[in-house]
Amino acid sequence: MRNIASAGRPVSPGDAMKAHSRFQEGFALHQQGDINAARVLYERALKWHPSHFDALHMLATIAYQAGQLDKAEALFLKALKIDPDAVYALNNFGNLLQDLKKYKTALAHYDRALSLDPNYVDAHNNRGDLLQQMGRWTEALESYERAIALSPNYAAAHYNRGNALGMMGRFEEAVASYDLALGLVPDYAQAHMNRGNALNELGRHADAVDSFDRAIEYAPDIPYLLGTRLHVNMQMCDWRHYRERLDAVLDAVKSNQPASLPFPLLALTSDPALQLRAAQTWITATYPAAKQAHRFSKRANKTRLRIGYFSADFRQHPVAQLIAGLFEAHDRSRFEIYAFSSGPDTRDEMRLRLESGFEHFIDVREESDAQLIARARELELDIAVDLSGLTTGCRPAVFAARVAPVQINYLGYPGTMGATYMDYILADETLIPPESERFYTEKVIYLPHSYQPNDRKRAVASHPLTRKELALPQEAFVFCCFNNNYKITPETFDRWMAILRAVPDSVLWLLQASEHTANNLRREAHNRGVSPDRLFFAPKLPVDQHLARQKCADLFIDSLPYNAHTTTSDALWVGLPVLTCLGEGFASRVAASLLRAVHLPELVTENAEAFVARAIELARDRGQLEAIRQKLETNRLTAPLFDIERLARAIECAFIEVDERRQAGLPPVSIHIAEPLPLTDRASKR
């Protein structure tokens, strides 16, 4: 600690001595944890010596730690005006600026500190954290590695290095980095948790759960970890602690505690009230609305509406598979279409198609939120459509700041985002019955048929796969479900096993995530009185071959509470009937939406008992099932579900209506879109 010469009025030696004495007393109390008493003494020191650097710096630190960020900023600025070369103040002010999301200024302060002291380990580590926030992973990694080179036993730097490697998809290296941190600090709960996340990405689910268990042992209240652990258990179909862990998560969510991220909860309950609470809890804590609303000016010479689609999934991904045709079908005479891609540039066939399907395709994966916000605002979008919602790679901060006067939640996340800055959600009356609107923070745009776009260009392998090639029994009745394994709850499996017991010559065909998962399901089948030999597992195949093999099944039986979504439309596209059961929430009603849009309401059941009975009925009455197959084949190319042009016109009508409301100064309200006229007829009536 030291005094810096006064920058204002002269300070007498006696006053300087009194200020120094008060500061020392305050600092001693500060070290003992008596923050309030320390603050009083620091303030007394400033009365004797208004330019006492250390008192200003410590008061800034106290304000920062108390969450008084504006006050802390003013105090840091005063202190650094007195001594601009105080490296620890430069570092601490950089931390505050990082929290204030003033990233460029924060980086300048870290760089200034390191120019004065290149061996300042904490500044290297904090600089890495900032660069991670900015999405500059390679530079962040370099900062962490510099910190580690200077201080090999710096556990936090090893941990942060693991985080950066994980964000770069280098999960094996991330695990190794977490292991180094844990070798130094065995009870480092966050390192155990993120090690588990990396192991989960590597498909090492059991090891991931072990890491989560250790994290919970050391820190039982880590936000969202209970839900994450349960979600990974569900990926393995490991239900040994299912009921007690589910009850713990749901009880915590009811109490507005951060027990589960919103997405995993969709597969655990169909209760839309709980899904809303989980979303609001997460959004409020991590991406609240900007304190000051951005004001949008009217765009001059507005001839076409500018629509921005934001996604991390513009590649070979279920969202892209569904929506690619919509982008191509938009009326370019009335809409200017932008893509903002924040996911990996895979250069796969779908990525190349999307790049050519948009009028403007902008790769923003290396741009910070602030950069993306500025870029989108410069383009003067009329409507921003979020295709990621609360899924992997989402960027809610962009929408929290507002990048367009109208913001819409669509397709990628099957539920409410719980965010006041999302104005609308695109849906239909099956997905969100009017009486359920209260569970959505967005106003609902009701499309006339199903909300889901479907691409008629999805390729099916020309080679007709046979049951023999797929190792399926030739004469058996083949039930199937190609949903991800985490959607298989014990209750869903109970229903499936009741069906198999009632139809002795039947088998169940599922996706195989791993042999471990398959063995868990075989064990659960045995426990329910069904031979494990009646379960068959389909390995991962290219999309066109996966579509082709579904023709070898007789009936797709759905899961609840998280239905088949893209998987339902895949099955229907190749002519495979899908039997579903309605739940309460959005994710529990998607398959019903699709079936009604392809005019097959007879495959929608209202409860578990009806679902089981209907599956058994169709398996025993092959004639009835064949009639449904024929009806599906007839409807496939005539019903609304696979008519992307019809859906495009409806969505365009919605865009026009919500923009007109905004232009008129009217707030968002739920709206119903009527069946639109064909594009040629609309043009003739203008």
Side-chain angles (χ1 to χ4, degrees):
M1 299 295 173
R2 68 212 186 287
N3 282 329
I4 305 297
S6 173
R9 65 174 175 78
V11 177
S12 70
D15 287 349
M17 183 66 71
K18 291 174 184 176
H20 183 69
S21 179
R22 297 295 84 75
F23 173 79
Q24 292 292 350
E25 292 172 17
F27 190 67
L29 290 168
H30 199 156
Q31 289 182 310
Q32 295 169 25
D34 193 344
I35 305 300
N36 290 329
R39 181 191 298 110
V40 170
L41 288 164
Y42 294 149
E43 289 170 348
R44 287 180 184 172
L46 288 176
K47 287 182 178 179
W48 292 108
H49 189 338
S51 296
H52 193 291
F53 169 82
D54 287 326
L56 285 167
H57 178 245
M58 295 311 296
L59 283 170
T61 303
I62 289 173
Y64 178 28
Q65 293 171 341
Q68 299 170 333
L69 303 189
D70 292 339
K71 180 179 179 181
E73 183 177 17
L75 288 165
F76 273 123
L77 286 169
K78 281 186 180 180
L80 286 167
K81 188 174 182 179
I82 296 166
D83 184 4
D85 293 341
V87 291
Y88 53 90
L90 288 164
N91 175 69
N92 292 343
F93 191 32
N95 294 342
L96 169 66
L97 291 166
Q98 186 176 165
D99 287 354
L100 289 169
K101 303 190 185 305
K102 297 181 178 181
Y103 296 147
K104 186 176 180 180
T105 310
L107 185 59
H109 281 78
Y110 290 136
D111 287 343
R112 170 74 174 155
L114 289 168
S115 72
L116 294 164
D117 182 0
N119 295 329
Y120 191 177
V121 176
D122 285 344
H124 283 293
N125 181 67
N126 295 338
R127 183 177 185 270
D129 289 346
L130 171 65
L131 290 164
Q132 277 212 72
Q133 289 279 345
M134 299 172 75
R136 293 160 62 175
W137 316 116
T138 301
E139 295 170 83
L141 194 61
E142 291 170 355
S143 283
Y144 295 136
E145 289 175 345
R146 178 63 179 153
I148 291 166
L150 292 166
S151 181
N153 293 332
Y154 193 175
H158 287 291
Y159 164 75
N160 289 328
R161 179 177 179 272
N163 293 344
L165 288 164
M167 293 303 298
M168 297 167 75
R170 294 161 59 179
F171 299 113
E172 291 281 7
E173 295 171 82
V175 171
S177 203
Y178 294 132
D179 285 342
L180 289 169
L182 291 165
L184 295 164
V185 183
D187 62 351
Y188 198 155
Q190 291 287 342
H192 282 294
M193 179 183 73
N194 285 1
R195 180 179 185 271
N197 290 331
L199 289 165
N200 188 46
E201 292 290 344
L202 292 167
R204 295 167 56 185
H205 302 312
D207 292 336
V209 170
D210 288 342
S211 279
F212 294 148
D213 286 342
R214 293 294 299 278
I216 291 169
E217 176 187 347
Y218 294 123
D221 296 327
I222 291 181
Y224 311 110
L225 185 51
L226 292 179
T228 299
R229 180 180 65 177
L230 181 53
H231 184 63
V232 177
N233 278 131
M234 299 303 289
Q235 289 176 306
M236 295 186 290
C237 298
D238 180 354
W239 304 326
R240 286 173 295 177
H241 305 287
Y242 170 76
R243 179 46 58 185
E244 64 188 83
R245 290 181 176 177
L246 176 63
D247 288 345
V249 168
L250 297 183
D251 287 345
V253 171
K254 288 174 187 176
S255 301
N256 300 316
Q257 297 175 36
S260 176
L261 293 169
F263 181 78
L265 198 71
L266 300 180
L268 298 173
T269 176
S270 70
D271 185 342
L274 287 182
Q275 293 169 1
L276 171 61
R277 285 196 181 193
Q280 288 178 316
T281 298
W282 187 75
I283 282 288
T284 301
T286 53
Y287 298 106
K291 292 180 181 178
Q292 191 167 7
H294 181 76
R295 296 178 66 86
F296 293 92
S297 57
K298 289 189 177 181
R299 176 159 51 92
N301 302 318
K302 181 174 177 178
T303 57
R304 296 189 293 166
L305 283 182
R306 289 182 181 170
I307 313 297
Y309 287 97
F310 294 71
S311 180
D313 302 318
F314 287 138
R315 54 193 164 88
Q316 190 60 49
H317 183 276
V319 169
Q321 292 165 20
L322 290 174
I323 203 170
L326 175 66
F327 305 139
E328 296 162 348
H330 271 311
D331 177 2
R332 299 304 172 84
S333 71
R334 304 192 71 183
F335 299 91
E336 189 173 0
I337 308 299
Y338 292 79
F340 295 86
S341 176
S342 57
D345 182 3
T346 54
R347 309 317 299 163
D348 56 43
E349 185 177 349
M350 178 58 74
R351 171 67 171 221
L352 297 175
R353 178 183 170 189
L354 291 168
E355 288 183 359
S356 64
F358 277 96
E359 194 168 350
H360 309 280
F361 193 98
I362 305 171
D363 189 334
V364 296
R365 62 199 153 104
E366 295 186 357
E367 294 187 7
S368 67
D369 289 338
Q371 290 171 317
L372 176 50
I373 291 162
R375 181 197 281 263
R377 286 178 180 168
E378 285 172 6
L379 292 171
E380 297 183 285
L381 300 176
D382 296 295
I383 296 172
V385 183
D386 184 3
L387 297 175
S388 293
L390 305 181
T391 61
T392 302
C394 64
R395 299 181 70 169
V398 172
F399 294 89
R402 276 213 176 261
V403 290
V406 176
Q407 300 189 149
I408 298 176
N409 169 18
Y410 183 41
L411 191 63
Y413 183 73
T416 182
M417 289 177 61
T420 57
Y421 44 80
M422 299 308 295
D423 303 301
Y424 296 97
I425 182 171
L426 281 169
D428 57 63
E429 288 198 356
T430 296
L431 293 173
I432 306 177
E435 63 271 18
S436 295
E437 286 186 20
R438 68 186 187 277
F439 302 121
Y440 296 79
T441 52
E442 308 90 342
K443 298 301 181 183
V444 184
I445 297 173
Y446 287 101
L447 297 171
H449 300 290
S450 177
Y451 86 117
Q452 192 188 87
N454 276 285
D455 181 22
R456 289 188 178 184
K457 296 181 182 178
R458 70 180 85 185
V460 181
S462 57
H463 174 65
L465 296 171
T466 65
R467 286 190 174 185
K468 183 177 180 180
E469 290 174 298
L470 298 167
L472 290 170
Q474 192 65 35
E475 302 301 326
F477 188 95
V478 177
F479 293 104
C480 74
C481 183
F482 294 124
N483 281 345
N484 284 315
N485 294 144
Y486 68 82
K487 295 184 181 182
I488 307 175
T489 65
E491 295 82 4
T492 286
F493 202 70
D494 287 342
R495 290 190 286 273
W496 290 350
M497 294 303 100
I499 293 166
L500 291 191
R501 288 195 301 269
V503 185
D505 62 340
S506 66
V507 298
L508 178 59
W509 192 22
L510 304 169
L511 281 182
Q512 179 170 343
S514 69
E515 187 60 29
H516 180 64
T517 302
N519 286 336
N520 283 341
L521 288 170
R522 291 186 183 105
R523 182 186 67 247
E524 295 292 343
H526 175 77
N527 291 343
R528 289 164 174 78
V530 174
S531 169
D533 295 338
R534 295 175 67 185
L535 270 57
F536 289 79
F537 294 92
K540 189 173 182 179
L541 288 178
V543 174
D544 63 334
Q545 295 179 42
H546 173 61
L547 291 173
R549 71 179 167 189
Q550 294 190 48
K551 296 180 180 181
C552 293
D554 292 298
L555 180 64
F556 188 115
I557 47 177
D558 201 7
S559 57
L560 196 72
Y562 200 137
N563 287 170
H565 293 185
T566 305
T567 315
T568 292
S569 58
D570 283 346
L572 297 174
W573 181 243
V574 298
L576 174 62
V578 176
L579 180 69
T580 194
C581 182
L582 275 169
E584 296 179 81
F586 192 123
S588 305
R589 303 173 71 87
V590 169
S593 166
L594 305 183
L595 286 163
R596 288 170 176 171
V598 79
H599 301 327
L600 287 174
E602 61 267 39
L603 293 177
V604 178
T605 60
E606 300 285 340
N607 54 60
E609 294 75 16
F611 174 84
V612 171
R614 185 71 168 134
I616 295 168
E617 176 188 3
L618 291 172
R620 290 175 175 172
D621 188 345
R622 300 293 185 100
Q624 183 183 176
L625 182 59
E626 182 57 31
I628 290 173
R629 276 186 176 272
Q630 291 300 320
K631 183 178 178 182
L632 172 57
E633 184 59 30
T634 300
N635 293 352
R636 196 168 61 95
L637 298 180
T638 58
L641 181 60
F642 294 105
D643 189 341
I644 195 65
E645 294 284 346
R646 182 186 292 189
L647 180 65
R649 301 293 80 78
I651 289 176
E652 289 167 355
C653 287
F655 288 163
I656 292 168
E657 185 163 344
V658 298
D659 179 69
E660 287 177 347
R661 286 192 63 83
R662 198 273 298 188
Q663 296 283 0
L666 298 173
V669 294
S670 292
I671 59 175
H672 288 73
I673 303 300
E675 178 73 42
L677 293 168
L679 184 60
T680 53
D681 291 347
R682 287 170 60 231
S684 67
K685 291 181 180 291
R686 288 178 197 157

